[in-house]
Amino acid sequence: MFPRKELRIRVMSRLYRVVMALLLLAEVSSFGEETSNPGIVARITREGLEYAHRHGVATLKNERSNIKLPDFSGLFSFSWLGEVSYDFHSLKIHHFVVQHSELELLPQRGVGAFLFNDYVSLSGMWKVKKAFMSLAGSFDLSVDGIIMSVSLNLGKDHFGRPTASVGHCSSSIGRVSIDISGNLSWMLNLFQERIEKNLKNMLEQKICNVVRKAVTSRLQPYLQTLPVTWMIDEVAGIDYRLVGAPLVSSQSLDMLFKGEFFNRRQRSPIPFEAPAIMLPQKHDRMIYFAVSEYVFNTASWVYCQNKRMNFIIRNEHLMNLTKLSNHQSAKKWRKQHSNPSCLSQANAPLTTTLSCFSNSFLLLLLQFPLNSPMSLHTSSFRVLIPKLARLYPNMEMELEVSPESAPFLILTPGNVTIMAVVDIQAFALLPKSSDRMPLFQLRGRTNISITIDVSSSRIFGSMTTGSTLKLELKQSNVGVFNVQLMETIFNYYAQHTIYPSLNAKLEEGFPLPLPRDIYLNSLVLQIHKNFLLFGANID
């Protein structure tokens, strides 16, 4: 039975490995502080709890041969010989039967583990000593009617990591039976009843000590593997601290994580709050993750603050676009947008005519080499901005593109969108100087559609244009001009340069707060107001 307890503890450790904080439930009183809304909620359902239970029992049975059981010893007295010490050692488990076991959620308290009427049989060696006399032999031991009840509480340390402790533990043993063999085994058999009683009392007293020791030495260190922060790159990391008490009901356990990106160079408060997350009550998976739009928007804010969303368009970028003119994608674009007869449509609406001109202008950009008049050069914009070439003749230009503010992701049922507003500032590069002259500033607006997906351990995505980029003139040092003719240029550049660059980052994704050796499968994804919800089963 003593071994049984040791086994029980290994199960506890395995169970938490299997279901990320599953075995340890916190009492709400463990968390007294006021907390903000979480960015991520991890929910363990009853299906997940049942999986942990099955896995734990199977682990207990499969690993019985690997469990090292403690030795036990005692004293007995002969009237004519005096006190004789005995020692039972080299114990091995041969048979282990779990008649009934339960792992259940205790609302507002924690997680309970219960074992009833279990049976363990084992064998080992015995030795008795008296003065200079020493005798040895073997024995078989059976322990049945084992009953044990353990509840675990979960707290958090000042780093925001989970902590585990035993809130309650009780155990009892129905019967201990020992069969002793070997030289002079009759001497021990005379005291069999007393030895069995001593073993029973000792096991009942020490089982809970073994449980507490295992929680402290095995389970608690494993909990420390749950990530509190995760460094994404040289700019940003993610804060995965616990922000509130686990919410325990009869159907589920919710763990609340901050889920906030932060600036690695200089951490500062995020200037907006996370919205509340209302998880649906219907479940068909073992574990769920609710990821608030707050998580993505803190990432946008951090990268925007670090100017990682800023782009500079120079002549060499147009050279890359020129190379694309011979590429299949550029040919396809040219076929879709080229309309040789559009200039002859005298009665065409003004918007159609402007679109035709802008498409034709981009086609010229794609067809001329960099050293031709059609490049990012003041002379190339002569038709669009006549005053520009007169004020700054034969000068190269560059365009700075930056978000007007951090673009925020908006989650509505079934949809993920971003409304992006960017500033486009044009400069003339003065010859033989590092100075730049500001020419004009545009504001661009577009809707971006986001596709979100999940793998066994990460969230990732990709973006596509939900609408074309629309430009308006904010300020000009080179006179008023029609910006619609420039929209196609920027749309093409965004589609072939900016979006691929951002998608490369999105495809890397960011990790989920999972303990070591936990992998997810059978994933399902739903988009709710303010949060993504995906469910999974556990390998």
Side-chain angles (χ1 to χ4, degrees), residues 79-134:
S79 57
W80 53 274
L81 190 61
E83 286 191 342
V84 177
S85 65
Y86 63 88
D87 176 63
F88 292 84
H89 61 94
S90 303
L91 282 72
K92 294 181 180 180
I93 297 176
H94 294 291
H95 195 48
F96 173 58
V97 177
V98 178
Q99 297 286 3
H100 183 73
S101 63
E102 293 180 5
L103 189 65
E104 67 178 55
L105 294 167
L106 307 175
Q108 304 302 319
R109 288 193 294 160
V111 168
F114 307 95
L115 298 173
F116 303 97
N117 297 323
D118 293 349
Y119 170 83
V120 177
S121 66
L122 48 91
S123 65
M125 304 301 295
W126 62 265
K127 180 171 60 176
V128 297
K129 295 181 68 175
K130 173 62 178 178
F132 299 103
M133 180 182 69
S134 179

Side-chain angles (χ1 to χ4, degrees), residues 217-389:
S217 62
R218 296 182 182 180
L219 187 54
Q220 177 63 25
Y222 180 74
L223 292 182
Q224 300 299 299
T225 70
L226 192 70
V228 173
T229 57
W230 196 295
M231 300 309 165
I232 301 299
D233 52 28
E234 72 278 6
V235 173
I238 306 178
D239 188 339
Y240 279 139
R241 288 177 295 163
L242 293 175
V243 298
L247 305 179
V248 186
S249 72
S250 61
Q251 298 300 316
S252 62
L253 156 67
D254 291 349
M255 300 289 288
L256 314 178
F257 300 91
K258 193 167 186 64
E260 179 182 289
F261 276 72
F262 60 88
N263 190 335
R264 292 186 63 178
R265 295 190 180 95
Q266 184 176 2
R267 191 162 183 171
S268 56
I270 300 295
F272 50 88
E273 297 292 329
I277 295 176
M278 301 297 293
L279 274 69
Q281 295 303 309
K282 187 176 181 179
H283 307 129
D284 59 5
R285 294 294 192 274
M286 297 177 185
I287 187 169
Y288 284 85
F289 282 93
V291 183
S292 171
E293 61 187 22
Y294 175 81
V295 179
F296 303 99
N297 291 336
T298 59
S300 177
W301 187 80
V302 167
Y303 284 105
C304 186
Q305 292 291 306
N306 281 270
K307 302 187 184 301
R308 290 306 179 99
M309 295 184 179
N310 296 7
F311 297 89
I312 297 179
I313 305 175
R314 298 188 176 94
N315 261 325
E316 55 263 32
H317 301 133
L318 287 184
M319 179 184 293
N320 292 333
L321 290 179
T322 301
K323 294 178 181 178
L324 283 174
S325 64
N326 293 320
H327 190 272
Q328 185 177 358
S329 61
K331 291 179 179 179
K332 181 179 179 181
W333 187 94
R334 184 184 292 106
K335 182 178 180 180
Q336 292 173 341
H337 294 81
S338 179
N339 187 358
S341 62
C342 68
L343 299 181
S344 63
Q345 298 175 8
N347 297 323
L350 177 60
T351 54
T352 301
T353 303
L354 290 174
S355 177
C356 176
F357 269 113
S358 62
N359 289 341
S360 301
F361 182 75
L362 181 58
L363 289 172
L364 286 173
L365 280 178
L366 291 173
Q367 290 167 352
F368 280 84
L370 184 63
N371 58 7
S372 72
M374 300 308 297
S375 61
L376 199 52
H377 198 278
T378 55
S379 59
S380 299
F381 287 80
R382 183 180 293 109
V383 177
L384 297 179
I385 314 173
K387 191 175 179 181
L388 176 61

Side-chain angles (χ1 to χ4, degrees), residues 18 187 195 204 240 256 270 299 351 486:
V18 172
M187 184 168 56
I195 292 173
E204 287 179 338
Y240 279 139
L256 314 178
I270 300 295
T351 54
M486 305 180 68

